[in-house]
Amino acid sequence: MPDISYEFLTDFFVNCLPFTPTAHQVNVFQGDLALVSPYLMRDALKEVCAGNPGNILHYQPNDWRPAIFKVYNRKVAEQAQLFSVFHCFETAFRSTVAVALERHYNHTRWWAGVHAALRAGQLARTVRQVGGVVLTRDAADLIARIIESIYGPSFQRNRVATFQNGYEFAENCDIGQIGFLVEKHWAIFSHRFVRGTRRLSMADFMAKFQRVRDARNDVYHHKSVARMTNVVQTAEDLLDYLNFSLGFVYQKVTDSSPAPLAFAIAIQPRHQIW
């Protein structure tokens, strides 16, 4: 039975390449697909073909692969640039949510009541208040779903009970859940999303947040990001509402000089170098 790389090879060679590869080229490419992202590789191959419709037909067997990997590596570098953007975006919103909800509910562990209800076999919406502040049914249900997603509905691993503050709770949420916490507490957060006379609606906020989240997930799963500039501008726009300058922080990160990574294993032909 052909492995999964065969499916990608068929797509590459039938639908992407304007020439018929040799048996050796097929074998080499199949070896590559066991080590790289097939999605980035496919996009790199398409880009090379689109940019060199005439020249690629005349590539020698040893030329086509470096050309494709040159584009592939550029895409990896572009994704590496986005890491700082997503880091800023995630940490800012996680911390904003953690602090804002603690202040709103007057309770360091504002999820604890819902957690206790679930442990007792009760519905989350039976918890009506936290710290003397009303907890809406929608917010209670969301907090319950987050708790269950952290360690499953069986509660065999009582991780949530160990969280001492909102930072720890938010750290264990996925980024989509952070956005939903803002949505279900929009009355608390809406005043932050005002710039001059413009007030961002909840629907606009969620659309922008989702755009960044989708791009973040694509990058973390090693897929190409469409309209990368738009994603950066969207992240910058939302962070600006929090009085966070993405451009300033990104430049400071770029200007820093971290210690270079050290590699001890010598490069060898078996590493499928190009």
Side-chain angles (χ1 to χ4, degrees):
M1 176 180 175
D3 59 36
I4 188 62
S5 65
Y6 183 81
E7 178 183 339
F8 280 90
L9 283 173
T10 301
D11 176 58
F12 290 171
F13 296 144
V14 173
N15 300 318
C16 300
L17 280 179
F19 66 93
T20 301
T22 65
H24 174 71
Q25 288 173 324
V26 172
N27 289 335
V28 171
F29 213 151
Q30 190 164 21
D32 290 335
L33 286 176
L35 300 172
V36 303
S37 164
Y39 309 106
L40 284 185
M41 181 65 80
R42 178 178 55 205
D43 292 343
L45 175 56
K46 289 181 177 179
E47 187 171 325
V48 170
C49 292
N52 299 273
N55 292 338
I56 198 168
L57 296 174
H58 305 292
Y59 277 175
Q60 297 300 311
N62 294 329
D63 293 339
W64 66 276
R65 189 163 166 259
I68 294 171
F69 268 105
K70 182 177 181 180
V71 177
Y72 179 95
N73 291 334
R74 194 207 72 227
K75 290 181 177 294
V76 173
E78 289 172 348
Q79 291 194 347
Q81 285 183 308
L82 287 174
F83 174 81
S84 296
V85 172
F86 296 141
H87 174 85
C88 291
F89 185 85
E90 287 198 39
T91 53
F93 273 99
R94 289 181 192 277
S95 294
T96 293
V97 166
V99 173
L101 293 186
E102 179 176 329
R103 289 175 177 173
H104 174 70
Y105 289 118
N106 299 315
H107 199 298
T108 304
R109 302 176 68 247
W110 42 266
W111 62 90
V114 172
H115 182 235
L118 295 177
R119 294 275 294 172
Q122 301 171 354
L123 295 176
R125 58 183 54 189
T126 60
V127 181
R128 303 294 180 81
Q129 291 187 347
V130 177
V133 178
V134 173
L135 176 68
T136 67
R137 288 187 173 186
D138 285 347
D141 288 342
L142 173 62
I143 293 170
R145 290 196 299 272
I146 293 173
I147 289 172
E148 290 178 351
S149 74
I150 291 174
Y151 62 90
S154 65
F155 297 101
Q156 294 178 352
R157 294 174 294 166
N158 197 13
R159 291 179 53 204
V160 177
T162 68
F163 299 160
Q164 298 302 309
N165 53 62
Y167 286 120
E168 293 184 16
F169 186 87
E171 177 186 340
N172 284 272
C173 294
D174 65 42
I175 189 59
Q177 292 167 340
I178 294 296
F180 290 133
L181 283 169
V182 174
E183 179 188 36
K184 298 307 181 185
H185 295 87
W186 187 246
I188 304 169
F189 291 98
S190 60
H191 73 280
R192 295 173 179 263
F193 297 96
V194 178
R195 187 185 294 129
T197 60
R198 173 172 169 72
R199 180 180 294 272
L200 199 66
S201 70
M202 183 177 71
D204 287 340
F205 167 80
M206 289 302 294
K208 289 175 179 287
F209 196 95
Q210 185 69 31
R211 187 179 306 146
V212 178
R213 174 179 176 266
D214 288 345
R216 174 256 194 205
N217 288 344
D218 282 344
V219 168
Y220 286 9
H221 290 89
H222 318 301
K223 297 180 180 179
S224 293
V225 177
R227 299 178 295 279
M228 186 171 69
T229 300
N230 181 260
V231 170
V232 174
Q233 290 175 344
T234 302
E236 181 181 26
D237 180 54
L238 288 182
L239 289 172
D240 182 63
Y241 282 109
L242 303 182
N243 295 321
F244 184 109
S245 172
L246 180 59
F248 173 82
V249 176
Y250 181 84
Q251 193 60 55
K252 289 297 183 181
V253 172
T254 303
D255 290 344
S256 65
S257 301
L261 299 178
F263 303 99
I265 299 176
I267 299 172
Q268 302 174 42
R270 65 181 176 82
H271 291 140
Q272 296 200 187
I273 56 176
W274 59 89

